Amino acid sequence: VVRDGFHRAPRKIYLLQRKNEKLGARLGKTTGWIHRTSLQKEGVEMIPNVKYERASKEGLLISIDGVNRLLEVDTIVVCTGQN
């Protein structure tokens, strides 16, 4: 799907982060903003301060500041880094 000159995935995509800080804050100072802007233009919903509660056939249950939210997803990709 192409909108506004950008290719958009046919699925809803979420980028979740456990830390309560700007997503990609630790990316390179000269390139981090480019990555965030590209994701925004692609329609990726970026959510910080997430606690992962449970994955089920209904999707991924997360909580943000103690409030539960079910993301109706059928695929989950986990990327872990170093702390």
Side-chain angles (χ1 to χ4, degrees), residues 1-9 37-38 40-43:
V1 177
V2 177
R3 290 186 204 123
D4 304 323
F6 292 92
H7 180 270
R8 300 239 170 133
T37 301
S38 296
Q40 288 170 344
K41 287 181 179 178
E42 293 290 335

Side-chain angles (χ1 to χ4, degrees), residues 16-63:
L16 310 174
Q17 177 175 281
R18 290 182 299 147
K19 292 183 178 137
N20 190 18
E21 63 184 30
K22 185 177 185 178
L23 275 84
R26 297 165 196 253
L27 295 173
K29 292 187 187 296
T30 58
T31 59
W33 68 272
I34 295 170
H35 297 304
R36 281 188 298 275
T37 301
S38 296
L39 292 171
Q40 288 170 344
K41 287 181 179 178
E42 293 290 335
V44 174
E45 184 175 343
M46 296 179 272
I47 308 172
N49 198 30
V50 170
K51 181 178 178 188
Y52 305 106
E53 300 292 344
R54 163 175 83 247
S56 68
K57 63 182 177 183
E58 288 80 25
L60 178 64
L61 181 64
I62 62 172
S63 63

